[in-house]
Amino acid sequence: MSEKISKIGVLTSGGDAPGMNAAIRAVVRTCAYHNIKCMGIYRGFEGMIEGDISEMGPRFVKNIVNKGGTILKSARSKEFMTAEGRKKAYENLKANGIDALVIIGGDGSFTGGMVFNKEFGFPIMGIPGTIDNDIFGTSFTLGYDTALNTVVEAIDKIRDTANSHNRLFFVEVMGRDAGHIALNAGIGAGAEEILIPEEDLGLDRLLESLRRSKLSGKSSSIVVVSEGDKIGKNVFELKDYVEENMPEYDVRVSVLGHMQRGGSPSCFDRVLASRLGVKAVESLLEGKSNYMVGLISDKIVLTPLEQAVKGQSKIDEELLRVSDIMST
Amino acid sequence: MSEKISKIGVLTSGGDAPGMNAAIRAVVRTCAYHNIKCMGIYRGFEGMIEGDISEMGPRFVKNIVNKGGTILKSARSKEFMTAEGRKKAYENLKANGIDALVIIGGDGSFTGGMVFNKEFGFPIMGIPGTIDNDIFGTSFTLGYDTALNTVVEAIDKIRDTANSHNRLFFVEVMGRDAGHIALNAGIGAGAEEILIPEEDLGLDRLLESLRRSKLSGKSSSIVVVSEGDKIGKNVFELKDYVEENMPEYDVRVSVLGHMQRGGSPSCFDRVLASRLGVKAVESLLEGKSNYMVGLISDKIVLTPLEQAVKGQSKIDEELLRVSDIMST
Amino acid sequence: MSEKISKIGVLTSGGDAPGMNAAIRAVVRTCAYHNIKCMGIYRGFEGMIEGDISEMGPRFVKNIVNKGGTILKSARSKEFMTAEGRKKAYENLKANGIDALVIIGGDGSFTGGMVFNKEFGFPIMGIPGTIDNDIFGTSFTLGYDTALNTVVEAIDKIRDTANSHNRLFFVEVMGRDAGHIALNAGIGAGAEEILIPEEDLGLDRLLESLRRSKLSGKSSSIVVVSEGDKIGKNVFELKDYVEENMPEYDVRVSVLGHMQRGGSPSCFDRVLASRLGVKAVESLLEGKSNYMVGLISDKIVLTPLEQAVKGQSKIDEELLRVSDIMST
Amino acid sequence: MSEKISKIGVLTSGGDAPGMNAAIRAVVRTCAYHNIKCMGIYRGFEGMIEGDISEMGPRFVKNIVNKGGTILKSARSKEFMTAEGRKKAYENLKANGIDALVIIGGDGSFTGGMVFNKEFGFPIMGIPGTIDNDIFGTSFTLGYDTALNTVVEAIDKIRDTANSHNRLFFVEVMGRDAGHIALNAGIGAGAEEILIPEEDLGLDRLLESLRRSKLSGKSSSIVVVSEGDKIGKNVFELKDYVEENMPEYDVRVSVLGHMQRGGSPSCFDRVLASRLGVKAVESLLEGKSNYMVGLISDKIVLTPLEQAVKGQSKIDEELLRVSDIMST
C-alpha cells in the first residue's frame, strides 16, 4: 500500500494552537525529503469539501516555524458531518490526486477523520494540536507548552499588582474539561489554590484554604481557576462569594481569554511539531493508517485513533500533591 | 528653605504601574548622591498615618529597576480624607524627621498631597505614575509605555487566532476615562477600529466600518475598545449587537484586565523613571514645592500640581487621523 | 507639482531595523487612502537598478505591522554610487510610472537619495530607520526604542548570572559612532558604568569607579560599552586590563550582536512608523521633496535632508548626569 | 534513619540556571510541610566552609518561583577540594544542626557531594541544575528548557536581519561538551545546519550543505554551532573559511553568550523544579542518600549519584534525523 502514496494532504482543524505551523512545515519538508508531493487543504474539512487545496513546496513553509496560528486556517464544518459533505470531500481529494491525509487537531477532528477513513478507506494520520493537552496517547499536545508559558507570564504580571495592593485574584484559564493548564500553570505561577474539573475542592475548603493563607502571613493570593471547573460558581460568582464571606479580602477577577491560544511557539513545541510531522508522514508511507502520533516517555509513538479519542488524558496525582505542598 | 531638607520620604499611591520601582530607586539614589536620607513610606497615605516608615539606603533598591509593581506597596486611604487622618500622618512624618515628600501616583494621590501641603505647608513633589497616561503636564506617565507593549503583545497573540478562524474580536483595554492606551495600542496592533471615550463613533458607523472592512477583503478584524468608551454598550453587549446585525461575523470578546498593570518596565519607562526621580528630589532641594515633574517635548519640566490635576491630557487629533488611514 | 504624483515607490536601505515593515505598511495604506498607487522596490537601490519592483495594495501589507526586518529586503549598492547605476535606476522608476520615492534608511541612504534627486529632480522623502538613533532631525529613529528593550532584556538575564556569581560583566552594545543605545539601555539596565564614544572616561577613572563600586558593597557589576567607544581598548582587552589591575574581580564579556537589530517592534516604534509613513506620503503629495520626516517634541515635522545628514544627533547632558547619580 | 532528620540544608553550586530559585523554594516548602527546618547555605560549598548559613521559612521564598539566577548564590570552591576544607564544612553543618543536604548543581557539584558523603556519611541528595542538559539520569535538567526558549527567541531576531539582507549567520550557543542546546534550538529556530560535538560533520560537508541550501533557493541561512563543537575551527574561523570558499555568501557571527544562563524560568522548568524539590526532601526523609532526583519518561525517579556522574547523556539519533529532514 505504501508504494501507492505519492501525494499527501494536510489540514488543521478545530481550535488553533501554537506549533501547528511548525507541524505543517514538518509535513511539507518530510514529503519533499521522500520526493512526494504535499497539498495544503485550507480551513480544515470545510476546504476539503470546497476544494480549497493547493500545493506546498519546501520553500512555501520557510519562516513559519516560529509563527502562531495556522497558515492553513481552521474552521468547524457542519457539512462534513453529513455523508454528502464527506463524499464531496473525498471526490476533491481524488481530483487532486491526494492519497493520504494528515489531520492536525483535536478529538473532534480525529473523530471526523475516522468516519471518513471508515467510509472511504482513505489513509489518515492524526497530529494532536490543541493547547488543552486533553488527548490520550501523548504526554504533550502541540501548543500546550506554549500556552503554559503564556499563562505564567500573564500571572507573573498580575502578581505584581496583587502584591502591590495585597489583593486576592481569581484568574480563569483555558483547558476545556481538563485541568492540565490550570494545574501546571498554577504550580508554575505559585498559585495559592488551583481549581480544576478533575477535583472538586468545594467552596468550604476554598474558604478554609484562603483563611489559612491569610493567617500564614501571605499578603496577596492568586487562585487559578480552570474554565471547566465544577465548583458550582463561575469566576465572577466566586469573587462575590469570597467577598461576602471574607470581607477582609479585596478580590479581583481576570479571565485570560483567547491570547492563550496564540503567540510564537516555545522551542519545545517547535521541536515536538517537527518530530510529530516527520513521524506522521513516514508512518503513512509505511502503509499505516488511523493512528495518532504522540510523545510518550520521550519517544514518538503511534496510538490507534480510536483509543486516542476514547481514552482520557488524566491528571497526575503527584502534581496535585506538589501543588498542595507548594502552597504551604 | 532648601538647606532645611535633610530627609525625604517617598510613597506610591493609587493603582500600581511599571516603573514605580525604578522611580523609587531613583529617589533613593539621588538622596544618597546629595548626602541626605531617604525614608520609604509603605502603602501610600495609609502607611503615613500608621507610621509604616523605614529608611532606604542605595543598596536597598538594587535589582528593582526592572521589577513591576511597587516594593513600597500601594493602597487607597479613606482615613487620609479626614483632617484627623492627615494630622496623624503629619505627626508621623515629623516624628521620623522627614522634611519633604515625593508622591508617585495619579490625580487622586496628587489631590491628597495638595490638601496636605495646604494644611501643613509640607513640601511635596509629584511623579506621575499610572498606565493610563491621563495626567496633564507630561507626555508620558510612568508605566504607560510598558502597558502599550503588554497590550500589543496580547493582541498580536489574539490576532494569530483571529486570522486562523476569520473572526472578529472585541478587545477591551484599560485607560479609565482616557483613550490613550486604546488609540496607541490599537494603531500599534493594527486594529481595524478603535473605540475611545473622546470620540463617539456611534453604533451605526461601527457597523458600517465593519461592513467596509469585510468588503475590502479582510478576513479577520480586531476592534480595540477603551474601558471608558461611551458607545453605550459594554464589550459583551457590542458582541451581541454585531452578531445580530452582521450574522456573517463570528465574534469573540477578550478583556485584557489587570495584566496590563504589571510586568517588567520597558527601557523607556525605566529611563523616564530615573530622570523624574532625580528631578523630583533636586527640585525639593532647590526649595520648590507643589509641582509635578513630567516629560514635555523631550525635556523634564515642572508643572504646578494644581494645573496637573485640573488640566486634561488630550488625545492627539493627528493620531486619530493616522488610525483612520491605517485601517484603509 | 503635487497633482502629477499618482504612483509612489518605497524602499528600505542600509541596516534593517524593527518598525521598517510598519513604515512600509503605512506608506502603502496612505497611498491607498489617497487613491494613488504604491510600488515596492526590493533590496534598496539595488532593486531600483535591477527593476525589482512590484505593486503593493493595502491587503499586501496586512499582518506585517508586528514583524521585524523588512519585507522589501535591504542591500548596499555599489552600482548606485556610479552615475550609470543611478541612470538605470531612474529609467526603471520611469518605466514603472513611479513619480516619487520614499526612502526608509539612515544617513548613507539619504545621501544616495539626495544625489539622485539632484541629478534627476526626482521627488524624494526620507524616513529615519536605524536602531542607532544617530540621525539629526528626529528624537527617535525607527527601531531605536525596540533595540533598547532588546538590550535591557538581555542585560536583565545577564544580571541574573552576575548576581549569582558576584561577577563583573562588560556588555558590548550596538550604536555605531553614537552612544544613545549604550547610555539609555545602560541607565535602564542599572549599569554601574557606561562607556560611550561621546565621553572619554579614561581607563583610570573606570578602575576608580569599579573600586568605589566594590567598596560600596555592590557584589556584581555591569559595564555597558558602546561599540563605538573610544577608551582605546576593545571589550575583550578591557576584561584583561581590569583582571590584571583588579584581580578581585571575576570578569566576563558579552557582545550582544545582531539580535539587537531584529524582533517584533515595540508599540512606540509601530505608532511612530505609522505616523512617519503618513507624513512622508502626504508631504510628497503636497509637492514637498528632499526632506526627512521625524519626531521632534512629540510632533511629526520635516527637516531638509541635507541638514539631517550633516547635523549631529547629540547625547543629552542631563542623561549623563542621571547615569552618574543612578550608580551611586 | 529518617527519624533523625530534623533540619535540611540546601545549596546551589556551579553555573547558575533558571529554575534554581524555584527548586530552592520547593525544598523550603517541602521541609515546612513536613515540619522540619530548612537552612540556606550561601555560595555553594564555599559558604558551607565559611558558615554562611541561615534559616529559611516558607515566606522567605515567596515571589522567587519566577526569578532567574539563585538567591543562595553560587561559587566554585577550591578549598572544598581539600580534606581540611571539607572538614570545616562538616563542622559548620553540625554546628548548625543540619542533618542532610540538598545540592542543586551539575556533575562537579555532585562529585564534591559524593566525596563529602563518603568521608562523613552525611546524607545528600542531588537536583540537576544546569542549562546544558548534560547529566545522566534525567531527560531534562533545570534551566535547559528556559535556555532553549532564550536561544530560539534570539535566533528569531537574528533571522529577521538575515532575511532582510540575504545573509549567512553562524550562531554560537552554550552546552559545554554536549550538543543538546544546539540541536534542539537549531531545530526550533529552523537552522539550515547544526554543528555539535557528538557528530563531526566535517568542513567539506558543511560547504556542500551550504551550497545545496543556496541552490534550493534559500536566500538566508542560520548555522547553529555548539560551543563544544569539534569541527576544528571556532565560529570566527568558520566565518573566514566559508567566505574564502563561498564568496557569494555575506557571513556574520553571533555568540549568544551568558544571557543564555539567565531569565525568568519557563513554566516547564518551574514545575520540574517543584517536583524535584519535593522528591529530594522526601527521599532524604525516607532515609535515602547519594541519589540524584530526575525526570525520566515523565516520572520523577532516583538515580545513584555515581551513575549520574559517570553516565553520559546522549543525543537522540531521531533528532539528528529530524534536523536533516527539516533542512530539506
Side-chain angles (χ1 to χ4, degrees):
Chain A
M1 181 168 187
S2 73
E3 300 138 71
K4 294 193 310 191
I5 293 181
S6 63
K7 205 185 257 184
I8 287 179
V10 56
L11 60 83
T12 50
S13 172
D16 64 317
M20 281 186 162
N21 280 328
I24 293 167
R25 172 180 176 268
V27 167
V28 170
R29 298 231 165 137
T30 309
C31 285
Y33 182 85
H34 289 290
N35 289 309
I36 62 172
K37 293 201 165 162
C38 187
M39 307 295 282
I41 301 165
Y42 289 80
R43 290 172 301 116
F45 296 126
E46 199 73 13
M48 237 164 94
I49 293 171
E50 297 178 12
D52 195 354
I53 299 171
S54 58
E55 194 173 338
M56 300 190 290
R59 291 290 74 70
F60 187 83
V61 292
K62 73 175 181 179
N63 296 330
I64 66 167
V65 72
N66 63 343
K67 299 290 186 294
T70 159
I71 59 165
L72 290 177
K73 295 180 183 269
S74 186
R76 296 180 201 279
S77 171
K78 281 188 187 168
E79 204 178 343
F80 196 75
M81 296 190 181
T82 68
E84 200 181 6
R86 289 190 296 273
K87 188 147 182 294
K88 271 197 223 167
Y90 176 72
E91 281 159 8
N92 276 322
L93 293 187
K94 283 288 119 188
N96 279 279
I98 296 173
D99 308 311
L101 199 59
V102 175
I103 297 169
I104 307 171
D107 274 2
S109 316
F110 295 160
T111 303
M114 280 193 295
V115 172
F116 189 74
N117 169 273
K118 206 173 176 183
E119 287 178 353
F120 305 101
F122 206 87
I124 63 168
M125 197 59 58
I127 293 180
T130 162
I131 63 166
D132 302 324
N133 205 35
D134 58 351
I135 297 180
F136 181 84
T138 191
S139 304
F140 294 85
T141 54
L142 277 187
Y144 171 55
D145 182 66
T146 303
L148 289 180
N149 284 330
T150 300
V151 171
V152 296
E153 284 165 24
I155 302 183
D156 284 352
K157 290 191 172 80
I158 291 171
R159 174 81 71 180
D160 285 340
T161 285
N163 280 343
S164 300
H165 291 277
N166 297 343
R167 276 177 187 157
L168 167 63
F169 266 90
F170 285 103
V171 181
E172 187 188 292
V173 302
M174 285 184 164
R176 291 205 312 174
D177 295 330
H180 294 288
I181 292 179
L183 181 55
N184 281 271
I187 292 174
E192 274 67 32
E193 197 60 71
I194 302 168
L195 306 183
I196 56 174
E198 290 87 347
E199 195 199 36
D200 189 0
L201 186 72
L203 289 167
D204 289 348
R205 277 188 52 205
L206 174 62
L207 286 188
E208 195 190 314
S209 162
L210 292 174
R211 279 198 190 99
R212 209 172 42 234
S213 181
K214 196 85 178 179
L215 282 175
S216 83
K218 289 192 189 177
S219 54
S220 66
S221 289
I222 304 281
V223 177
V224 172
V225 185
S226 177
E227 64 178 346
D229 179 60
K230 297 187 174 69
I231 202 166
K233 294 187 183 295
N234 73 32
V235 77
F236 294 99
E237 293 165 349
L238 272 179
K239 168 183 150 63
D240 293 343
Y241 180 80
V242 169
E243 285 188 324
E244 258 172 53
N245 286 276
M246 302 182 67
E248 66 272 32
Y249 265 118
D250 181 14
V251 191
R252 292 288 189 281
V253 164
S254 187
V255 177
L256 293 188
H258 276 82
M259 58 171 282
Q260 294 168 82
R261 295 208 173 276
S264 181
S266 67
C267 186
F268 185 96
D269 272 328
R270 299 183 196 187
V271 174
L272 179 60
S274 304
R275 297 170 74 184
L276 294 176
V278 168
K279 185 73 171 182
V281 169
E282 299 196 333
S283 297
L284 284 169
L285 293 181
E286 288 164 9
K288 296 194 179 97
S289 174
N290 248 357
Y291 287 95
M292 184 189 83
V293 292
L295 181 76
I296 301 180
S297 297
D298 308 332
K299 298 271 170 248
I300 304 297
V301 296
L302 299 183
T303 298
L305 270 180
E306 200 165 355
Q307 282 181 35
V309 167
K310 278 194 189 157
Q312 254 202 313
S313 160
K314 290 202 180 137
I315 284 290
D316 194 332
E317 294 290 324
E318 177 222 340
L319 275 184
L320 289 174
R321 208 172 154 263
V322 166
S323 161
D324 267 0
I325 296 175
M326 285 310 103
S327 58
T328 300
Chain B
M1 181 170 188
S2 74
E3 300 139 71
K4 293 192 313 191
I5 293 180
S6 63
K7 205 186 258 185
I8 286 178
V10 56
L11 60 82
T12 49
S13 173
D16 64 316
M20 282 187 162
N21 280 327
I24 293 167
R25 173 180 175 268
V27 167
V28 170
R29 297 232 166 136
T30 310
C31 286
Y33 182 84
H34 290 289
N35 289 310
I36 62 172
K37 293 200 165 163
C38 186
M39 308 294 282
I41 301 165
Y42 288 81
R43 289 172 301 116
F45 296 127
E46 198 72 12
M48 240 164 93
I49 293 171
E50 297 177 12
D52 195 354
I53 299 171
S54 58
E55 194 173 337
M56 299 190 290
R59 291 289 76 70
F60 187 84
V61 292
K62 74 174 179 179
N63 295 330
I64 65 167
V65 72
N66 63 343
K67 299 290 185 295
T70 158
I71 59 165
L72 290 177
K73 293 178 183 271
S74 185
R76 299 181 199 279
S77 172
K78 281 189 187 167
E79 204 179 344
F80 196 74
M81 297 190 181
T82 67
E84 200 181 6
R86 291 190 295 273
K87 187 145 181 295
K88 271 197 223 168
Y90 176 72
E91 280 159 8
N92 275 322
L93 293 187
K94 283 289 120 188
N96 278 280
I98 295 172
D99 306 311
L101 199 58
V102 175
I103 297 169
I104 306 171
D107 275 2
S109 316
F110 294 161
T111 303
M114 281 193 295
V115 172
F116 189 73
N117 169 273
K118 203 172 178 186
E119 286 177 354
F120 303 102
F122 205 87
I124 63 169
M125 196 60 57
I127 293 180
T130 163
I131 63 167
D132 302 324
N133 205 33
D134 58 350
I135 297 181
F136 181 84
T138 191
S139 304
F140 294 85
T141 54
L142 277 187
Y144 171 56
D145 182 67
T146 303
L148 289 180
N149 285 330
T150 301
V151 171
V152 296
E153 283 165 24
I155 301 183
D156 284 352
K157 291 190 171 80
I158 291 172
R159 174 81 70 180
D160 285 340
T161 286
N163 279 342
S164 300
H165 291 275
N166 297 345
R167 277 178 185 154
L168 167 64
F169 266 91
F170 285 103
V171 180
E172 187 188 292
V173 302
M174 285 185 164
R176 291 206 311 175
D177 296 330
H180 295 288
I181 292 179
L183 181 55
N184 280 271
I187 292 173
E192 274 66 32
E193 198 58 73
I194 302 169
L195 306 184
I196 55 173
E198 290 87 347
E199 195 198 37
D200 189 359
L201 186 73
L203 289 166
D204 289 347
R205 278 189 49 206
L206 174 62
L207 286 187
E208 194 190 315
S209 162
L210 291 174
R211 279 199 191 100
R212 208 171 43 232
S213 181
K214 197 84 178 178
L215 282 175
S216 83
K218 289 194 189 178
S219 55
S220 66
S221 289
I222 304 280
V223 177
V224 172
V225 185
S226 178
E227 63 179 347
D229 179 60
K230 297 187 175 67
I231 202 167
K233 294 187 183 294
N234 74 30
V235 77
F236 294 98
E237 292 165 348
L238 271 178
K239 169 182 151 60
D240 293 343
Y241 180 80
V242 169
E243 285 188 324
E244 258 172 53
N245 286 276
M246 302 182 67
E248 67 271 31
Y249 265 118
D250 181 14
V251 191
R252 291 287 188 282
V253 164
S254 188
V255 177
L256 293 188
H258 277 82
M259 58 171 285
Q260 295 168 81
R261 296 207 173 278
S264 181
S266 68
C267 186
F268 185 96
D269 271 329
R270 298 182 196 188
V271 174
L272 178 60
S274 304
R275 297 170 75 183
L276 294 176
V278 168
K279 183 73 169 184
V281 169
E282 298 196 333
S283 297
L284 284 170
L285 293 181
E286 289 164 9
K288 296 194 178 96
S289 174
N290 248 357
Y291 287 95
M292 184 190 81
V293 293
L295 181 76
I296 301 180
S297 297
D298 309 331
K299 298 270 168 249
I300 304 296
V301 295
L302 299 184
T303 297
L305 271 180
E306 201 166 353
Q307 282 181 34
V309 167
K310 279 193 190 158
Q312 255 203 312
S313 160
K314 290 202 180 139
I315 284 291
D316 194 332
E317 293 290 325
E318 176 222 340
L319 275 183
L320 289 174
R321 207 171 156 265
V322 167
S323 161
D324 267 0
I325 296 174
M326 285 310 103
S327 58
T328 300
Chain C
M1 180 170 188
S2 74
E3 300 139 71
K4 293 194 311 192
I5 293 181
S6 63
K7 206 185 259 186
I8 287 178
V10 56
L11 60 82
T12 50
S13 174
D16 64 316
M20 280 186 163
N21 280 328
I24 293 167
R25 172 179 175 268
V27 168
V28 171
R29 297 233 165 136
T30 309
C31 287
Y33 181 85
H34 289 290
N35 289 310
I36 62 171
K37 293 200 166 164
C38 186
M39 307 295 282
I41 301 165
Y42 287 81
R43 291 172 300 118
F45 296 127
E46 199 72 13
M48 237 163 95
I49 292 171
E50 297 177 12
D52 195 355
I53 300 171
S54 59
E55 194 173 337
M56 300 189 290
R59 290 290 74 71
F60 187 83
V61 292
K62 74 175 179 180
N63 296 330
I64 67 166
V65 71
N66 63 342
K67 299 291 186 292
T70 157
I71 59 165
L72 291 177
K73 295 180 183 269
S74 185
R76 297 180 201 278
S77 172
K78 281 189 187 169
E79 205 179 341
F80 196 74
M81 296 191 182
T82 69
E84 199 182 6
R86 290 192 295 273
K87 186 148 181 293
K88 271 198 222 168
Y90 176 72
E91 280 159 8
N92 275 323
L93 292 187
K94 283 289 117 187
N96 278 279
I98 297 173
D99 308 311
L101 200 57
V102 175
I103 297 169
I104 307 171
D107 274 2
S109 317
F110 295 160
T111 303
M114 281 193 297
V115 172
F116 189 73
N117 169 272
K118 205 172 176 186
E119 287 178 353
F120 304 101
F122 206 88
I124 63 169
M125 196 58 59
I127 293 179
T130 162
I131 64 166
D132 302 324
N133 205 34
D134 58 351
I135 297 180
F136 181 84
T138 191
S139 305
F140 294 85
T141 54
L142 277 187
Y144 171 55
D145 182 67
T146 303
L148 290 181
N149 285 331
T150 300
V151 172
V152 296
E153 283 165 25
I155 303 183
D156 284 352
K157 290 190 172 79
I158 292 171
R159 175 81 72 181
D160 286 340
T161 285
N163 279 342
S164 300
H165 291 275
N166 297 344
R167 277 178 186 155
L168 167 63
F169 266 91
F170 286 103
V171 180
E172 187 188 292
V173 302
M174 285 185 163
R176 292 207 309 175
D177 296 330
H180 295 289
I181 292 178
L183 181 54
N184 280 271
I187 293 174
E192 275 66 33
E193 197 59 73
I194 302 169
L195 306 184
I196 55 174
E198 291 86 347
E199 195 199 36
D200 188 0
L201 186 71
L203 289 166
D204 289 347
R205 277 186 52 206
L206 174 62
L207 286 187
E208 194 190 314
S209 162
L210 292 174
R211 279 198 192 101
R212 208 171 42 234
S213 181
K214 197 86 178 177
L215 282 175
S216 83
K218 289 193 188 178
S219 53
S220 66
S221 289
I222 305 281
V223 178
V224 172
V225 185
S226 178
E227 64 179 347
D229 180 58
K230 298 185 175 67
I231 201 166
K233 294 186 181 296
N234 74 30
V235 77
F236 294 99
E237 293 165 348
L238 271 179
K239 167 183 151 60
D240 293 343
Y241 181 80
V242 168
E243 284 188 324
E244 259 171 53
N245 286 277
M246 303 181 67
E248 67 270 32
Y249 265 117
D250 182 15
V251 191
R252 292 286 188 283
V253 164
S254 187
V255 177
L256 292 188
H258 276 82
M259 58 171 283
Q260 295 168 81
R261 294 208 174 278
S264 181
S266 67
C267 185
F268 185 95
D269 272 328
R270 299 183 195 186
V271 174
L272 179 60
S274 305
R275 296 169 75 184
L276 294 176
V278 168
K279 184 73 170 183
V281 170
E282 299 196 332
S283 297
L284 284 170
L285 293 182
E286 289 165 8
K288 298 196 175 94
S289 175
N290 248 356
Y291 287 95
M292 184 190 81
V293 293
L295 181 75
I296 300 180
S297 298
D298 309 332
K299 299 269 168 250
I300 304 297
V301 295
L302 298 184
T303 298
L305 270 180
E306 202 166 354
Q307 282 181 33
V309 167
K310 279 194 188 157
Q312 253 204 312
S313 160
K314 291 204 179 136
I315 284 291
D316 194 332
E317 293 290 325
E318 176 222 341
L319 275 183
L320 289 174
R321 208 171 157 265
V322 167
S323 162
D324 268 358
I325 297 175
M326 284 310 104
S327 58
T328 300
Chain D
M1 181 168 187
S2 73
E3 300 138 67
K4 292 195 309 190
I5 293 180
S6 63
K7 206 185 257 184
I8 287 178
V10 57
L11 60 82
T12 51
S13 173
D16 64 316
M20 281 187 163
N21 280 326
I24 293 167
R25 172 179 176 268
V27 168
V28 170
R29 297 231 166 138
T30 310
C31 286
Y33 181 84
H34 289 291
N35 288 309
I36 63 171
K37 292 199 166 165
C38 187
M39 308 294 283
I41 301 166
Y42 288 81
R43 291 173 299 117
F45 296 127
E46 199 73 12
M48 236 163 95
I49 292 171
E50 297 178 12
D52 195 354
I53 299 170
S54 58
E55 195 174 337
M56 300 189 291
R59 292 289 75 72
F60 187 83
V61 292
K62 72 174 182 182
N63 296 330
I64 66 167
V65 73
N66 63 342
K67 299 291 185 295
T70 156
I71 59 165
L72 291 177
K73 295 178 182 269
S74 186
R76 297 179 200 280
S77 172
K78 281 187 187 171
E79 206 179 342
F80 196 75
M81 296 190 180
T82 67
E84 201 180 6
R86 290 190 295 274
K87 188 148 181 293
K88 270 198 223 167
Y90 176 72
E91 280 158 9
N92 275 323
L93 293 187
K94 283 289 120 186
N96 279 280
I98 296 173
D99 307 312
L101 199 58
V102 175
I103 297 169
I104 307 171
D107 274 3
S109 316
F110 295 161
T111 303
M114 281 192 295
V115 173
F116 189 74
N117 169 272
K118 205 173 178 184
E119 287 178 353
F120 304 102
F122 206 88
I124 62 167
M125 196 59 58
I127 293 179
T130 163
I131 63 165
D132 302 324
N133 205 34
D134 58 350
I135 297 180
F136 181 85
T138 192
S139 305
F140 294 85
T141 54
L142 276 188
Y144 170 56
D145 182 66
T146 303
L148 290 180
N149 285 330
T150 300
V151 172
V152 296
E153 283 165 24
I155 302 183
D156 285 352
K157 291 190 170 81
I158 291 171
R159 175 80 71 181
D160 286 339
T161 285
N163 280 343
S164 300
H165 291 275
N166 297 344
R167 277 178 186 155
L168 167 63
F169 266 90
F170 286 104
V171 181
E172 187 188 293
V173 303
M174 285 184 162
R176 291 206 310 174
D177 296 329
H180 295 289
I181 291 179
L183 181 53
N184 280 271
I187 294 174
E192 275 67 31
E193 198 59 71
I194 301 169
L195 306 183
I196 56 174
E198 291 86 347
E199 196 199 35
D200 189 359
L201 186 71
L203 288 167
D204 290 347
R205 278 189 50 206
L206 174 62
L207 286 187
E208 193 190 315
S209 161
L210 292 173
R211 279 199 191 100
R212 209 172 40 234
S213 181
K214 196 86 178 177
L215 282 175
S216 83
K218 288 192 189 179
S219 54
S220 66
S221 289
I222 304 281
V223 178
V224 173
V225 185
S226 178
E227 64 179 346
D229 180 59
K230 297 185 176 67
I231 202 167
K233 295 188 181 295
N234 74 30
V235 77
F236 294 99
E237 293 165 349
L238 271 179
K239 167 182 152 63
D240 293 343
Y241 181 81
V242 169
E243 284 187 325
E244 259 171 52
N245 287 276
M246 302 182 67
E248 67 270 32
Y249 265 117
D250 181 14
V251 191
R252 292 288 188 282
V253 165
S254 187
V255 177
L256 292 189
H258 277 82
M259 58 171 283
Q260 294 168 83
R261 294 206 175 281
S264 181
S266 68
C267 186
F268 185 96
D269 272 329
R270 299 183 195 187
V271 173
L272 179 60
S274 304
R275 296 169 76 184
L276 295 176
V278 168
K279 185 73 169 182
V281 169
E282 299 196 332
S283 297
L284 284 169
L285 293 181
E286 289 164 7
K288 297 193 177 97
S289 175
N290 249 357
Y291 287 95
M292 184 191 81
V293 293
L295 181 75
I296 301 179
S297 297
D298 309 333
K299 298 272 169 246
I300 303 297
V301 296
L302 299 184
T303 298
L305 270 180
E306 203 167 352
Q307 283 182 32
V309 167
K310 279 194 189 157
Q312 253 203 314
S313 160
K314 290 202 180 136
I315 284 290
D316 194 333
E317 293 291 324
E318 176 222 341
L319 275 183
L320 289 174
R321 210 174 153 261
V322 166
S323 162
D324 268 358
I325 297 175
M326 286 310 103
S327 58
T328 300

